[in-house]
Amino acid sequence: MNTAIAEIQPGKPILAMDHISLSFGGVKAIRDVSFDIRKGEIRAIIGPNGAGKTSLLNVINGFYHPQEGIINYKGAKRNDMKPYVAASQGIARTFQNVALFAGMSTLDNIMSGRMLKMKVALPWHIIRFGPAEREEIEHREFVEQIIDFLEIQAIRRTPVGRLPYGLQKRVELGRALAMEPELLLLDEPMAGMNLEEKEDMSRFVLDVNDQFGTTIALIEHDMGVVMDISDRVIVLDYGQKIADGTPDEVKNNQNVIDAYLGVAH
Amino acid sequence: MFYRETGQFKTSYRTDQAVFPIKQDAIGIWVLLAILFIVVPLTFNDFWLNSIMIPTLIFSLAAIGLNLLLGYAGQISLGTGGFMGVGAYSCYKLTTIFPDVNILIPILLSGFVAAAVGVLFGIPSLRIKGFYLAIATLASQFFLVWAFGRIEWLYNYNPSGAIEVPTRRIFDIAVTGPHATSMTRYLIILSIVVVLTWVASNLVRGRIGRAWMAIRDMDIAAELIGIKLLQTKLTAFAISSYYAGVAGALMVFMWLGAAEVESFDINHSFLILFMVVIGGSGSLIGSFMGAAFIWVLPIFLRSAPDYIGLEIGAATVEHINFMVVGALIIFFLIVEPNGIARLWQIGKEKLRRWPFPY
Ligand SMILES: Nc1ncnc2c1ncn2[C@@H]1O[C@H](COP(=O)(O)OP(=O)(O)OP(=O)(O)O)[C@@H](O)[C@H]1O
Ligand SMILES: [Mg+2]
């Protein structure tokens, strides 16, 4: 495990992926992909279905281990690691198909994002008075700020399993934010949302990036959103990177146009 | 007074996170405790204490233990009976070796032995889930019962193979053995159960409880927010088994007075499991409701026909009991997985609005 990590200046790469390949048996999900994510930017990952976008996020947060390639995170080469190690190094994420704790309330879901920051040991929890309660209140205050920020005060006590999809996505973002991540990975945060919800979510993403300086990598299918909010875009197709650049550069790239229009390879 | 939370504004997160944030509930719990500690001992006779209150409390404790594991951490166990046995035999050995030590100490320490055994048998939960974990814990149940029967040292080489509870006194008052009165035993059990319930509610309201519920609801996401699955699951097994162990020690030392291998067999594991399912998995109050319901139902069925002048044979009562419990388990599993506790909660929500329909 490599925890000796340097502080990265804005604009410098926080994460660099070097010739990454990942396959499942015969399926090559990612083929020789290299790119970097700079501190403070919003990096979009786009591509047709099955292009390998989710797999790429899974590699970044230690879920999948690539067969080839080198990952540099915050200036240090990163070895294969468990997701909770990635979490402790400041990587948080949301999932394509919401992965909330369905039986828990909105508040508890977001509080659970503070898990790594809560240190008081078990014996104190047995009596709760004192350190355990103080810690709980301290983190509750932080979580309430997130709840205010995401405008979900009204559903604080509702078990998230009963919430509509759009709100679940918002709570999931809240849980990731509670981790105070340096690098936030969002897997299709606006999928299945109506226009108004998408606008809200875009605003939250921009505000997070702006107010907390959080670096964000997001997968999104809605081109309008991608062009509006991202600084740089990677385009994947069949596991390969076919374009990388600013939204304008990518938009006019012939490979990208072909991939999206389904030109034969 | 109406049951309302209107007008009760929480001015701090501390009060908002209290066990019973609504004032009427908080008052209710103190009233209940006063009844249990004062009114019950003054009014209940030996039959009521011995056959209803004491066993209900002991089984509630075991049910809380299983509920922490199953209802909160989502790990199934069919080994509760065995873990109760570990508690009982440990207590027996401890008080044999240290006969002069206050008996409450072996009772509370025996839970730690059960916790250690629980951790050992909880290790498979790392690799296996659901049905397969159930089978693995079933194996631990059979192994433990086998050990209780085979290791003669555990029952002090008693030819009958049973453990017999010696008389132990606190301040010259007999608290275990044939001279201990029902009232003494009831009050001790009640005190232990109240304290351990309070501890359980502390655990589930904080970080520990959230980690348990997180692995129950979605272990992949739990790992991703930094929860270590191994540690969290084993903590759940340890604490759950502690409760089962203490319940087992209380069962033998403060209720039955003697026990043999059969007292900890698979039937007890199922009994406690049914209490959790019917009472409400994931609810501490539900553990009490389930225990009371399952324990009192057959007693009620046995005596109710008498009151209305019906003659029903003991065997028939058994059958009716089985049918009612069986039907209810199916009902709760399908219709209301959160058990009686959920029905209680729905009732309270209705009451909060009453008498207005909306
Ligand atoms: N755990 C896995 N086991 C086997 N194959 C997998 C696994 N995960 C992904 N794949 C395969 O890898 C390829 C890329 O999948 P991935 O989910 O990364 O695509 P995606 O770009 O996120 O697609 P979508 O837009 O549909 O979400 C697909 O062919 C998929 O079937
Ligand atoms: Mg995907």
Side-chain angles (χ1 to χ4, degrees):
Chain A
M1 191 192 329
N2 203 333
T3 42
I5 282 175
E7 207 43 56
I8 305 295
Q9 296 303 312
K12 294 272 181 304
I14 183 169
L15 179 91
M17 309 276 271
D18 203 13
H19 298 287
I20 298 290
S21 292
L22 172 78
S23 52
F24 303 100
V27 183
K28 290 208 165 108
I30 301 174
R31 305 164 197 237
D32 195 26
V33 168
S34 303
F35 68 97
D36 65 4
I37 299 176
R38 293 180 196 148
K39 181 149 174 95
E41 75 174 339
I42 298 182
R43 188 76 149 121
I45 302 170
I46 65 171
N49 290 111
K53 306 179 294 294
T54 299
S55 303
L56 203 57
L57 290 199
N58 284 335
V59 167
I60 297 177
N61 81 332
F63 239 39
Y64 292 162
H65 303 301
Q67 282 84 5
E68 280 165 55
I70 294 171
I71 303 171
N72 254 283
Y73 180 61
K74 294 174 88 177
K77 178 176 177 291
R78 205 181 76 171
N79 301 320
D80 286 353
M81 58 161 69
K82 293 253 182 203
Y84 67 75
V85 181
S88 70
Q89 294 185 350
I91 302 179
R93 78 173 280 186
T94 66
F95 289 83
Q96 192 163 347
N97 334 300
V98 184
L100 284 169
F101 308 124
M104 295 160 69
S105 66
T106 297
L107 180 63
D108 276 335
N109 266 278
I110 301 180
M111 279 296 281
S112 71
R114 303 297 290 170
M115 200 68 71
L116 276 170
K117 305 209 180 291
M118 298 179 86
K119 303 269 192 261
V120 171
L122 179 69
W124 291 111
H125 287 274
I126 289 172
I127 54 168
R128 194 171 165 100
F129 290 127
E133 191 176 46
R134 272 201 300 278
E135 186 185 52
E136 182 87 8
I137 290 169
E138 184 190 313
H139 289 280
R140 172 76 187 272
E141 278 160 5
F142 185 89
V143 163
E144 287 293 335
Q145 288 173 16
I146 294 176
I147 289 178
D148 288 344
F149 173 77
L150 294 174
E151 298 155 19
I152 46 178
Q153 298 89 341
I155 55 165
R156 207 187 260 117
R157 299 271 171 208
T158 316
V160 295
R162 290 195 222 149
L163 295 174
Y165 188 71
L167 278 179
Q168 291 195 5
K169 286 250 168 198
R170 218 185 267 196
V171 176
E172 204 188 14
L173 175 63
R175 184 181 66 190
L177 291 179
M179 297 170 70
E180 291 180 83
E182 268 186 85
L183 176 59
L184 177 61
L185 313 174
L186 304 173
D187 198 343
E188 305 198 17
M190 294 149 213
M193 288 188 170
N194 62 33
L195 187 64
E196 195 186 332
E197 288 171 324
K198 275 185 187 177
E199 280 171 355
D200 282 340
M201 190 53 101
S202 307
R203 181 163 54 83
F204 294 137
V205 171
L206 283 170
D207 282 352
V208 167
N209 177 253
D210 200 49
Q211 290 180 19
F212 313 123
T214 312
T215 311
I216 296 172
L218 100 161
I219 298 175
E220 186 46 56
H221 279 294
D222 185 320
M223 281 310 137
V225 170
V226 171
M227 298 301 150
D228 275 353
I229 70 174
S230 54
D231 297 310
R232 289 193 301 156
V233 184
I234 307 155
V235 190
L236 292 181
D237 192 20
Y238 290 102
Q240 274 167 322
K241 184 171 99 171
I242 56 170
D244 188 349
T246 64
D248 281 331
E249 287 165 10
V250 163
K251 199 159 50 180
N252 301 319
N253 182 303
Q254 193 56 44
N255 289 338
V256 177
I257 296 166
D258 290 349
Y260 272 90
L261 295 179
V263 170
H265 288 251
Chain B
M1 194 171 70
F2 290 118
Y3 182 73
R4 288 284 192 282
E5 59 181 328
T6 350
Q8 300 179 15
F9 296 108
K10 279 118 198 158
T11 46
S12 73
Y13 294 131
R14 188 169 188 277
T15 45
D16 192 40
Q17 290 164 356
V19 188
F20 297 103
I22 298 177
K23 210 161 90 203
Q24 284 88 339
D25 282 340
I27 297 171
I29 202 74
W30 287 110
V31 171
L32 181 67
L33 284 176
I35 292 174
L36 288 172
F37 274 103
I38 300 164
V39 180
V40 168
L42 288 176
T43 54
F44 280 25
N45 60 23
D46 274 357
F47 169 80
W48 272 84
L49 288 177
N50 244 330
S51 309
I52 297 189
M53 298 309 288
I54 288 179
T56 299
L57 284 172
I58 291 173
F59 287 129
S60 299
L61 192 62
I64 287 177
L66 181 59
N67 218 332
L68 293 178
L69 186 66
L70 178 66
Y72 286 90
Q75 310 297 305
I76 185 135
S77 166
L78 293 177
T80 313
F83 296 134
M84 289 174 77
V86 174
Y89 281 95
S90 315
C91 187
Y92 185 61
K93 288 313 291 187
L94 282 169
T95 192
T96 308
I97 300 167
F98 307 102
D100 297 326
V101 171
N102 182 331
I103 186 69
L104 297 182
I105 292 173
I107 288 178
L108 293 174
L109 285 183
S110 62
F112 288 105
V113 182
V117 176
V119 167
L120 198 65
F121 287 113
I123 290 172
S125 69
L126 245 61
R127 297 256 163 217
I128 52 182
K129 293 184 201 175
F131 177 72
Y132 296 96
L133 181 59
I135 300 297
T137 58
L138 195 61
S140 74
Q141 165 71 40
F142 283 114
F143 171 79
L144 288 171
V145 167
W146 174 84
F148 299 150
R150 285 304 159 90
I151 304 175
E152 296 177 2
W153 176 79
L154 285 176
Y155 47 85
N156 289 357
Y157 308 98
N158 185 344
S160 71
I163 51 179
E164 279 148 34
V165 175
T167 299
R168 293 281 183 263
R169 295 169 191 278
I170 301 177
F171 303 127
D172 258 1
I173 302 169
V175 294
T176 66
H179 306 294
T181 65
S182 323
M183 205 207 290
T184 315
R185 288 182 285 117
Y186 165 76
L187 286 172
I188 290 177
I189 294 171
L190 180 63
S191 310
I192 293 179
V193 171
V194 166
V195 170
L196 288 181
T197 306
W198 173 72
V199 168
S201 95
N202 287 343
L203 289 173
V204 299
R205 276 183 301 149
R207 169 175 67 87
I208 311 281
R210 276 194 298 272
W212 286 344
M213 292 188 274
I215 57 170
R216 170 196 70 191
D217 286 349
M218 185 151 301
D219 52 1
I220 297 177
E223 218 183 342
L224 233 122
I225 54 170
I227 294 175
K228 291 182 182 155
L229 298 186
L230 170 69
Q231 209 175 312
T232 309
K233 284 181 181 176
L234 293 186
T235 310
F237 268 97
I239 294 174
S240 161
S241 309
Y242 179 87
Y243 279 74
V246 172
L250 288 176
M251 180 171 96
V252 175
F253 276 72
M254 303 234 134
W255 181 38
L256 301 177
E260 43 198 51
V261 184
E262 287 76 40
S263 316
F264 310 105
D265 63 8
I266 181 76
N267 290 334
H268 275 82
S269 298
F270 279 119
L271 186 75
I272 308 293
L273 181 64
F274 294 160
M275 288 170 176
V276 171
V277 169
I278 288 187
S281 86
S283 158
L284 296 180
I285 295 175
S287 308
F288 286 93
M289 295 175 170
F293 185 85
I294 296 232
W295 184 254
V296 175
L297 179 70
I299 298 175
F300 172 78
L301 288 177
R302 248 173 267 144
S303 48
D306 276 353
Y307 282 120
I308 53 172
L310 268 177
E311 291 260 338
I312 299 181
T316 322
V317 167
E318 277 302 287
H319 291 306
I320 296 177
N321 186 37
F322 275 132
M323 281 172 354
V324 173
V325 171
L328 278 173
I329 286 169
I330 293 172
F331 167 80
F332 278 117
L333 283 179
I334 296 172
V335 182
E336 190 48 80
N338 295 318
I340 302 176
R342 176 75 191 140
L343 298 180
W344 167 255
Q345 202 189 346
I346 292 172
K348 282 209 302 190
E349 265 161 35
K350 291 242 162 76
L351 198 59
R352 200 177 283 185
R353 296 192 199 106
W354 185 86
F356 310 105
Y358 300 106

